[in-house]
Amino acid sequence: MTTSESQARPAGTAGPVVRTASGAVRGRHEEGLAVFRGIPFAEPPVGEARFQAPRPARPWGGTREAYAFGPPPPQDLGLQGRPGAETGPTGDDWLTVNVWTPEADPSARRPVMVWIYGGSYKMGHAGQPAYDAQRIARERHVVVVTFNYRVGVEGFTRLDGAPANRGLLDQVAALEWVRENIAGFGGDPDLVTVFGESAGAGSIASLLAMPGARGLFRRAVAQSVPGTFFSDELARDMARALAAEAGRKPTAADLTDVDPRQLIAAGQALGARMAQYTDRWGQAAPTVTPFSPVVDGDVLPTTPWRALAAGAAREVDLLVGHNRDEARLFLVLGGMLGRVTDEQVTGVLRLLAPGGEAGERAYRSAFPDVSPTALWERVQTDWLFAMPTLRLAEAQLAGGGGAHVYELTWPAPGSGGVLGACHTLDVTLLFGGYGADLGRLLFAGADVPAEAKQLSSRFRRAWTSFARTGDPGWPAYDTEARLVQVLDADPTVTAYPEERSRRLWEGHEFLPLPLLG
């Protein structure tokens, strides 16, 4: 019996029951919603199934109690002192879904929003308090689904004898579960929107490019899309280095019997030394994570930007955006705020800016009066999130589709206000989890101001309006006016605010990161 099957039913409850393709599940009534947690969408990927594509969940008899989140997949929970990391329940039934619905009635046919979490492709799970979807579902009368997918070595390390991008294949399997089962929970399987942030947004960009995901969703919201996609050669080289940390070969056969905790430790050890691999791994080295989607030519045939420009997702409505000060979070967590030297700026500009030394000169010319810390932050934000996000919208336009764009500029009030509109702030505002996970840092030492609550409500209204109609409430983006929604205490629609950065990256193509050595 798995962990989630063994949860005892609370005394006196008679929760809602829905029959899925694998069997009946009983949820709970919670504050006007029917909530179901820990429903398997695939078999536990352990034993001979480890490092393989997800397999359909086995049917069960009777009524399964869907009261508790399933256990998180094995992962590295250490992000420079990240607060609020939850270990969750233990067990191997990692691949589970959770549903918040206003009514478990097949006749309701409500819009469905499927959340894909971020976490550098090495951490994260659907049971994190920050992803409690009750506000979105209850306030906006939509069905919200969250789910676990494999991260780190289990989900993304490129191994011989295993498919690439297993974490993405898990996501496809979860979306197939939604298509097959969500009507019983009151959702419309023909009106599915995927939404996610950071690695979750990179996953959504991948899904838009994957033949195996075609037709599984109608709309997509990608918040802070990272530009890091690995070439097959780079991913295999990283796998060799990681497996060597564990004293093994980078094959599914050689790693299947290794305790996941040992492989997590190997990934942590490698991540701590990645700067030593700059001559070999180039721009991937400073990311301190050897995990990203791999352009393997099969599961992921090409980069999202090329795929969208070729029309791969022209039938999908797209909403994308980023935060103004994405990299500020990493400066603060790394103790680097105000301490970046000009020598460090020179190194990062030459590594990340388009054109190497010419890119350094162009950045210094475009931002002549900023401090070394601010210039470091600007190029890191542009390279990792802002420009990949904007270019995804432009690729969608080039391929015959449409896109809406936003930028979050409202600054987080916590920690004396130094965090600005940093990475992950949009997640806290969207879900309203001010005291959960990184929300504790973003709002630390500060009351939640009224303008934050108003902006939070605006996020939910815009995202759910887009899920219903394809219109979040502001004009679509085009390459002439370049209108975007600026989300602040006084939201406005204006030309894309980061025009200097946009011009610096104009014509640059985000290619799979190569193996240099």
Side-chain angles (χ1 to χ4, degrees), residues 398-421:
H404 290 78
V405 179
Y406 73 89
E407 182 180 37
L408 174 62
T409 58
W410 185 80
S415 304
V418 300
L419 286 160

Side-chain angles (χ1 to χ4, degrees), residues 428-502:
T428 299
L429 292 170
L430 175 60
F431 285 88
Y434 308 109
D437 299 329
L438 276 172
R440 300 177 187 176
L441 173 65
L442 299 172
F443 288 83
D447 292 332
V448 179
E451 63 187 31
K453 296 178 181 178
Q454 292 167 359
L455 189 55
S456 182
S457 179
R458 180 179 287 270
F459 260 96
R460 290 191 286 276
R461 184 167 64 250
W463 267 228
T464 55
S465 174
F466 179 76
R468 280 192 169 87
T469 68
D471 181 1
W474 63 84
Y477 183 83
D478 62 50
T479 54
E480 294 181 1
R482 301 188 186 280
L483 295 179
V484 307
Q485 174 71 69
V486 175
L487 293 166
D488 210 317
D490 183 20
T492 58
V493 175
T494 186
Y496 181 62
E498 314 305 334
E499 179 65 11
R500 284 185 290 178
S501 292
R502 189 195 69 78

Side-chain angles (χ1 to χ4, degrees), residues 366-436:
F367 301 95
D369 301 320
V370 303
S371 67
T373 296
L375 194 54
W376 185 98
E377 178 189 318
R378 184 71 262 163
V379 71
Q380 290 277 5
T381 292
D382 289 345
W383 171 74
L384 187 54
F385 296 115
M387 295 303 109
T389 299
L390 184 67
R391 296 300 291 275
L392 195 70
E394 294 178 347
Q396 178 73 334
L397 268 61
H404 290 78
V405 179
Y406 73 89
E407 182 180 37
L408 174 62
T409 58
W410 185 80
S415 304
V418 300
L419 286 160
C422 69
H423 194 57
T424 77
L425 176 59
D426 52 317
V427 177
T428 299
L429 292 170
L430 175 60
F431 285 88
Y434 308 109

Side-chain angles (χ1 to χ4, degrees), residues 138 192 210:
R138 186 173 58 250
V192 173
M210 290 170 57

